[in-house]
Amino acid sequence: MTVEIGKQAPDFQLEANNGETVTLAKFRGKNVVLYFYPKDMTPGCTTEACDFRDQFQQFHDLNAVILGVSPDPANRHQKFIEKYGLPFLLLADTDHEAAEAYGVWKLKKNFGKEYMGIERSTFIINQEGTLVKEWRKVQVKGHVEEALTYIRANQ
């Protein structure tokens, strides 16, 4: 399955840090900022999560929900949330089903080693569940502001 702008975003069923099972369909009627990141507690992922935290109220005011997704288990997500005061749900995609559905589970190379992992990406899904914007291979600096600007301009 591939995601495509203008088409229904793939639904998923993932465990959240609070133990709840979350589906995309649950957020119909709201804009959804679905961001995939490689790993809790790492420098880039922490910066990105804290940037979303710092802009959380502005997203909320635009009827937007932020959902972070990584392969980390829900209990690790909860520790990440507690350590950095994150006010949004983090979803455990331990089997990388959602990552594969969104085309972000990729072959990566680091220090000459190859492995499968998340390619940092963000998707904006409108109130009807349609994918309206995507950013792939996200550079963390300035990205959250870019996502916020897009939602503001497309209300």
Side-chain angles (χ1 to χ4, degrees):
M1 178 177 212
T2 58
V3 291
E4 196 177 319
I5 300 225
K7 303 271 176 147
Q8 280 297 115
D11 204 352
F12 50 76
Q13 186 170 318
L14 298 172
E15 183 183 0
N17 57 282
N18 62 3
E20 210 179 297
T21 298
V22 172
T23 63
L24 181 61
K26 174 183 176 183
F27 297 100
R28 285 285 164 90
K30 293 189 175 292
N31 296 303
V32 176
V33 178
L34 182 67
Y35 83 97
F36 288 86
Y37 65 99
K39 191 167 179 55
D40 291 340
M41 309 286 187
T42 57
C45 298
T46 298
T47 298
E48 184 177 30
C50 290
D51 288 351
F52 274 118
R53 175 199 65 202
D54 295 347
Q55 300 290 345
F56 177 79
Q57 189 59 50
Q58 292 185 62
F59 281 103
H60 179 75
D61 292 348
L62 294 168
N63 194 33
V65 173
I66 299 165
L67 299 173
V69 181
S70 88
D72 293 306
N75 63 336
R76 185 169 169 92
H77 283 334
Q78 187 58 35
K79 289 176 186 159
F80 191 38
I81 281 175
E82 288 169 5
K83 184 170 183 177
Y84 294 101
L86 306 178
F88 48 85
L89 292 175
L90 296 179
L91 308 180
D93 190 18
T94 54
D95 297 329
H96 44 84
E97 287 177 33
E100 287 183 35
Y102 282 82
V104 301
W105 187 250
K106 302 276 190 176
L107 181 65
K108 299 173 83 174
K109 293 179 184 178
N110 197 12
F111 300 111
K113 185 178 168 194
E114 289 188 344
Y115 60 96
M116 295 300 289
I118 297 279
E119 177 181 83
R120 189 182 310 278
S121 304
T122 300
F123 300 88
I124 306 288
I125 299 152
N126 72 12
Q127 297 177 34
E128 291 79 43
T130 303
L131 178 66
V132 293
K133 180 70 176 165
E134 66 179 20
W135 290 271
R136 294 179 181 271
K137 297 182 183 177
V138 165
Q139 298 299 311
V140 172
K141 188 170 171 50
H143 173 63
V144 170
E145 188 59 44
E146 191 178 12
L148 186 57
T149 299
Y150 178 85
I151 292 176
R152 256 193 213 116
N154 291 281
Q155 276 292 63

